[in-house]
Amino acid sequence: MDYRKIKQLINKLEKLQKEEALLESKIKKIKEQINITQSELNKLLSLPNNIIQPQTTSTIN
């Protein structure tokens, strides 16, 4: 391999490492959002049933 080819491979590797770090950061944020959503869901599920059921009647003035 000549120097130019090695340099191209190093550049590709560095680019892939940056992309990997970005994807890992995005995955971490998504996992945090899922955890928050799961926590909120658990709180809602722990409420008494009559609080979270939607109103079936409405008043029209």
Side-chain angles (χ1 to χ4, degrees):
M1 282 193 168
D2 64 355
Y3 174 79
R4 200 171 359 142
K5 187 70 173 174
I6 292 171
K7 186 67 176 165
Q8 286 177 336
L9 291 172
I10 290 172
N11 288 341
K12 284 184 182 180
L13 177 60
E14 289 172 348
K15 182 179 177 185
L16 288 171
Q17 288 172 330
K18 288 177 185 176
E19 289 177 10
E20 180 184 30
L22 182 62
L23 289 172
E24 286 175 351
S25 173
K26 288 181 179 182
I27 289 169
K28 183 180 176 186
K29 288 178 184 176
I30 290 170
K31 284 182 178 179
E32 289 170 359
Q33 290 175 337
I34 289 170
N35 288 338
I36 290 169
T37 303
Q38 184 66 45
S39 174
E40 291 170 351
L41 178 60
N42 289 338
K43 286 178 189 174
L44 288 174
L45 291 174
S46 70
L47 292 174
N49 284 336
N50 61 351
I51 293 176
I52 60 173
Q53 287 179 348
Q55 291 282 344
T56 56
T57 61
S58 61
T59 58
I60 301 174
N61 293 339

